[in-house]
PDB file of all heavy atoms in Angstrom:
ATOM      1  N   GLN O  82      -3.531   3.245  70.124  1.00  0.00           N
ATOM      2  CA  GLN O  82      -2.293   3.186  69.349  1.00  0.00           C
ATOM      3  C   GLN O  82      -2.091   1.838  68.685  1.00  0.00           C
ATOM      4  O   GLN O  82      -2.798   0.894  68.981  1.00  0.00           O
ATOM      5  CB  GLN O  82      -1.107   3.511  70.228  1.00  0.00           C
ATOM      6  CG  GLN O  82      -1.083   4.953  70.682  1.00  0.00           C
ATOM      7  CD  GLN O  82       0.135   5.205  71.519  1.00  0.00           C
ATOM      8  OE1 GLN O  82       0.283   4.642  72.610  1.00  0.00           O
ATOM      9  NE2 GLN O  82       1.037   6.078  71.041  1.00  0.00           N
ATOM     10  N   SER O  83      -1.065   1.817  67.831  1.00  0.00           N
ATOM     11  CA  SER O  83      -0.708   0.559  67.184  1.00  0.00           C
ATOM     12  C   SER O  83       0.536   0.062  67.867  1.00  0.00           C
ATOM     13  O   SER O  83       1.016   0.617  68.875  1.00  0.00           O
ATOM     14  CB  SER O  83      -0.511   0.867  65.732  1.00  0.00           C
ATOM     15  OG  SER O  83      -0.225  -0.330  65.055  1.00  0.00           O
ATOM     16  N   LEU O  84       1.099  -0.994  67.324  1.00  0.00           N
ATOM     17  CA  LEU O  84       2.341  -1.549  67.921  1.00  0.00           C
ATOM     18  C   LEU O  84       3.433  -1.616  66.855  1.00  0.00           C
ATOM     19  O   LEU O  84       3.192  -1.866  65.708  1.00  0.00           O
ATOM     20  CB  LEU O  84       2.092  -2.982  68.356  1.00  0.00           C
ATOM     21  CG  LEU O  84       1.279  -3.273  69.618  1.00  0.00           C
ATOM     22  CD1 LEU O  84       1.040  -4.778  69.727  1.00  0.00           C
ATOM     23  CD2 LEU O  84       2.065  -2.771  70.821  1.00  0.00           C
ATOM     24  N   GLU O 114       2.146 -11.811  75.763  1.00  0.00           N
ATOM     25  CA  GLU O 114       0.779 -12.250  75.512  1.00  0.00           C
ATOM     26  C   GLU O 114       0.648 -12.695  74.038  1.00  0.00           C
ATOM     27  O   GLU O 114       1.423 -12.210  73.210  1.00  0.00           O
ATOM     28  CB  GLU O 114      -0.188 -11.050  75.616  1.00  0.00           C
ATOM     29  CG  GLU O 114      -0.376 -10.527  77.018  1.00  0.00           C
ATOM     30  CD  GLU O 114      -1.122  -9.200  76.946  1.00  0.00           C
ATOM     31  OE1 GLU O 114      -1.656  -8.794  75.914  1.00  0.00           O
ATOM     32  OE2 GLU O 114      -1.147  -8.540  78.006  1.00  0.00           O
ATOM     33  N   PRO O 115      -0.338 -13.502  73.750  1.00  0.00           N
ATOM     34  CA  PRO O 115      -0.596 -13.762  72.317  1.00  0.00           C
ATOM     35  C   PRO O 115      -1.017 -12.520  71.592  1.00  0.00           C
ATOM     36  O   PRO O 115      -1.728 -11.689  72.183  1.00  0.00           O
ATOM     37  CB  PRO O 115      -1.729 -14.800  72.341  1.00  0.00           C
ATOM     38  CG  PRO O 115      -2.251 -14.829  73.726  1.00  0.00           C
ATOM     39  CD  PRO O 115      -1.250 -14.219  74.640  1.00  0.00           C
ATOM     40  N   LYS O 116      -0.580 -12.373  70.376  1.00  0.00           N
ATOM     41  CA  LYS O 116      -1.112 -11.247  69.551  1.00  0.00           C
ATOM     42  C   LYS O 116      -2.250 -11.839  68.717  1.00  0.00           C
ATOM     43  O   LYS O 116      -2.046 -12.693  67.844  1.00  0.00           O
ATOM     44  CB  LYS O 116      -0.014 -10.722  68.595  1.00  0.00           C
ATOM     45  CG  LYS O 116      -0.476  -9.575  67.767  1.00  0.00           C
ATOM     46  CD  LYS O 116       0.660  -8.975  66.997  1.00  0.00           C
ATOM     47  CE  LYS O 116       0.310  -7.682  66.260  1.00  0.00           C
ATOM     48  NZ  LYS O 116      -0.952  -7.681  65.626  1.00  0.00           N
ATOM     49  N   ILE O 117      -3.440 -11.368  69.021  1.00  0.00           N
ATOM     50  CA  ILE O 117      -4.661 -11.982  68.421  1.00  0.00           C
ATOM     51  C   ILE O 117      -4.922 -11.336  67.048  1.00  0.00           C
ATOM     52  O   ILE O 117      -4.834 -10.087  66.919  1.00  0.00           O
ATOM     53  CB  ILE O 117      -5.849 -11.747  69.372  1.00  0.00           C
ATOM     54  CG1 ILE O 117      -5.563 -12.483  70.696  1.00  0.00           C
ATOM     55  CG2 ILE O 117      -7.143 -12.290  68.782  1.00  0.00           C
ATOM     56  CD1 ILE O 117      -5.506 -11.602  71.865  1.00  0.00           C
ATOM     57  N   ALA O 121      -9.475  -4.629  66.264  1.00  0.00           N
ATOM     58  CA  ALA O 121      -9.383  -3.974  67.575  1.00  0.00           C
ATOM     59  C   ALA O 121     -10.680  -3.207  67.918  1.00  0.00           C
ATOM     60  O   ALA O 121     -11.279  -2.556  67.040  1.00  0.00           O
ATOM     61  CB  ALA O 121      -8.235  -2.984  67.593  1.00  0.00           C
ATOM     62  N   ARG O 137     -11.273   0.879  66.298  1.00  0.00           N
ATOM     63  CA  ARG O 137     -10.108   1.763  66.434  1.00  0.00           C
ATOM     64  C   ARG O 137     -10.223   3.018  65.576  1.00  0.00           C
ATOM     65  O   ARG O 137      -9.729   4.053  65.953  1.00  0.00           O
ATOM     66  CB  ARG O 137      -8.804   0.981  66.112  1.00  0.00           C
ATOM     67  CG  ARG O 137      -7.614   1.867  66.352  1.00  0.00           C
ATOM     68  CD  ARG O 137      -6.335   1.101  66.381  1.00  0.00           C
ATOM     69  NE  ARG O 137      -6.040   0.650  65.027  1.00  0.00           N
ATOM     70  CZ  ARG O 137      -4.978  -0.079  64.756  1.00  0.00           C
ATOM     71  NH1 ARG O 137      -4.148  -0.422  65.717  1.00  0.00           N
ATOM     72  NH2 ARG O 137      -4.726  -0.448  63.540  1.00  0.00           N
ATOM     73  N   GLU O 177      -9.858  -7.586  71.027  1.00  0.00           N
ATOM     74  CA  GLU O 177      -9.998  -7.950  69.631  1.00  0.00           C
ATOM     75  C   GLU O 177     -11.279  -8.751  69.451  1.00  0.00           C
ATOM     76  O   GLU O 177     -11.574  -9.659  70.278  1.00  0.00           O
ATOM     77  CB  GLU O 177      -8.863  -8.857  69.177  1.00  0.00           C
ATOM     78  CG  GLU O 177      -7.467  -8.252  69.311  1.00  0.00           C
ATOM     79  CD  GLU O 177      -7.089  -7.317  68.200  1.00  0.00           C
ATOM     80  OE1 GLU O 177      -7.207  -7.701  67.044  1.00  0.00           O
ATOM     81  OE2 GLU O 177      -6.653  -6.188  68.523  1.00  0.00           O
ATOM     82  N   TYR O 229      -7.721  -7.483  76.534  1.00  0.00           N
ATOM     83  CA  TYR O 229      -6.359  -7.518  77.075  1.00  0.00           C
ATOM     84  C   TYR O 229      -5.749  -6.155  77.481  1.00  0.00           C
ATOM     85  O   TYR O 229      -4.687  -6.082  78.009  1.00  0.00           O
ATOM     86  CB  TYR O 229      -5.399  -8.181  76.113  1.00  0.00           C
ATOM     87  CG  TYR O 229      -5.471  -7.535  74.766  1.00  0.00           C
ATOM     88  CD1 TYR O 229      -4.989  -6.256  74.547  1.00  0.00           C
ATOM     89  CD2 TYR O 229      -6.072  -8.164  73.657  1.00  0.00           C
ATOM     90  CE1 TYR O 229      -5.092  -5.613  73.325  1.00  0.00           C
ATOM     91  CE2 TYR O 229      -6.160  -7.532  72.447  1.00  0.00           C
ATOM     92  CZ  TYR O 229      -5.680  -6.288  72.281  1.00  0.00           C
ATOM     93  OH  TYR O 229      -5.824  -5.658  71.061  1.00  0.00           O
ATOM     94  N   VAL O 291       2.930 -10.379  71.870  1.00  0.00           N
ATOM     95  CA  VAL O 291       3.151  -8.990  72.282  1.00  0.00           C
ATOM     96  C   VAL O 291       3.845  -8.989  73.596  1.00  0.00           C
ATOM     97  O   VAL O 291       3.433  -9.675  74.554  1.00  0.00           O
ATOM     98  CB  VAL O 291       1.785  -8.247  72.412  1.00  0.00           C
ATOM     99  CG1 VAL O 291       2.017  -6.800  72.724  1.00  0.00           C
ATOM    100  CG2 VAL O 291       0.939  -8.386  71.133  1.00  0.00           C
ATOM    101  N   LYS O 293       5.031  -6.584  76.685  1.00  0.00           N
ATOM    102  CA  LYS O 293       4.726  -5.264  77.240  1.00  0.00           C
ATOM    103  C   LYS O 293       5.415  -5.093  78.570  1.00  0.00           C
ATOM    104  O   LYS O 293       5.462  -6.055  79.361  1.00  0.00           O
ATOM    105  CB  LYS O 293       3.226  -5.124  77.492  1.00  0.00           C
ATOM    106  CG  LYS O 293       2.353  -5.454  76.343  1.00  0.00           C
ATOM    107  CD  LYS O 293       0.869  -5.543  76.795  1.00  0.00           C
ATOM    108  CE  LYS O 293       0.010  -5.794  75.531  1.00  0.00           C
ATOM    109  NZ  LYS O 293      -1.388  -5.948  75.880  1.00  0.00           N
ATOM    110  N   PRO O 310       3.584   2.876  71.193  1.00  0.00           N
ATOM    111  CA  PRO O 310       4.321   3.101  72.426  1.00  0.00           C
ATOM    112  C   PRO O 310       5.728   2.489  72.388  1.00  0.00           C
ATOM    113  O   PRO O 310       5.985   1.602  71.649  1.00  0.00           O
ATOM    114  CB  PRO O 310       3.469   2.353  73.477  1.00  0.00           C
ATOM    115  CG  PRO O 310       2.789   1.269  72.739  1.00  0.00           C
ATOM    116  CD  PRO O 310       2.570   1.794  71.338  1.00  0.00           C
TER     117      PRO O 310
HETATM  118  S1  LIG H   1      -1.599  -4.005  73.016  1.00  0.00           S
HETATM  119  C1  LIG H   1      -0.757   0.582  72.655  1.00  0.00           C
HETATM  120  N1  LIG H   1      -1.966  -6.623  73.017  1.00  0.00           N
HETATM  121  O1  LIG H   1      -2.411  -5.633  67.413  1.00  0.00           O
HETATM  122  C2  LIG H   1      -0.694  -0.822  72.194  1.00  0.00           C
HETATM  123  N2  LIG H   1      -2.469  -5.406  71.036  1.00  0.00           N
HETATM  124  O2  LIG H   1      -0.557  -4.519  65.507  1.00  0.00           O
HETATM  125  C3  LIG H   1      -1.975  -1.462  72.393  1.00  0.00           C
HETATM  126  N3  LIG H   1      -3.361  -6.780  69.245  1.00  0.00           N
HETATM  127  O3  LIG H   1      -3.541  -2.322  67.672  1.00  0.00           O
HETATM  128  C4  LIG H   1      -1.999  -2.828  71.813  1.00  0.00           C
HETATM  129  N4  LIG H   1      -3.307  -8.713  70.334  1.00  0.00           N
HETATM  130  O4  LIG H   1      -5.283  -4.261  67.836  1.00  0.00           O
HETATM  131  C5  LIG H   1      -2.053  -5.489  72.315  1.00  0.00           C
HETATM  132  N5  LIG H   1      -2.278  -8.913  73.244  1.00  0.00           N
HETATM  133  C6  LIG H   1      -2.378  -7.806  72.468  1.00  0.00           C
HETATM  134  C7  LIG H   1      -2.831  -7.756  71.162  1.00  0.00           C
HETATM  135  C8  LIG H   1      -2.869  -6.534  70.466  1.00  0.00           C
HETATM  136  C9  LIG H   1      -3.646  -8.112  69.203  1.00  0.00           C
HETATM  137  C10 LIG H   1      -3.589  -5.859  68.126  1.00  0.00           C
HETATM  138  C11 LIG H   1      -4.091  -4.503  68.555  1.00  0.00           C
HETATM  139  C12 LIG H   1      -3.044  -3.540  68.052  1.00  0.00           C
HETATM  140  C13 LIG H   1      -2.438  -4.296  66.928  1.00  0.00           C
HETATM  141  C14 LIG H   1      -1.077  -3.815  66.594  1.00  0.00           C
END
Side-chain angles (χ1 to χ4, degrees):
Q82 289 182 298
S83 183
L84 285 172
E114 291 169 10
K116 182 172 186 323
I117 298 119
R137 183 167 70 182
E177 302 279 309
Y229 52 70
V291 184
K293 308 170 175 176

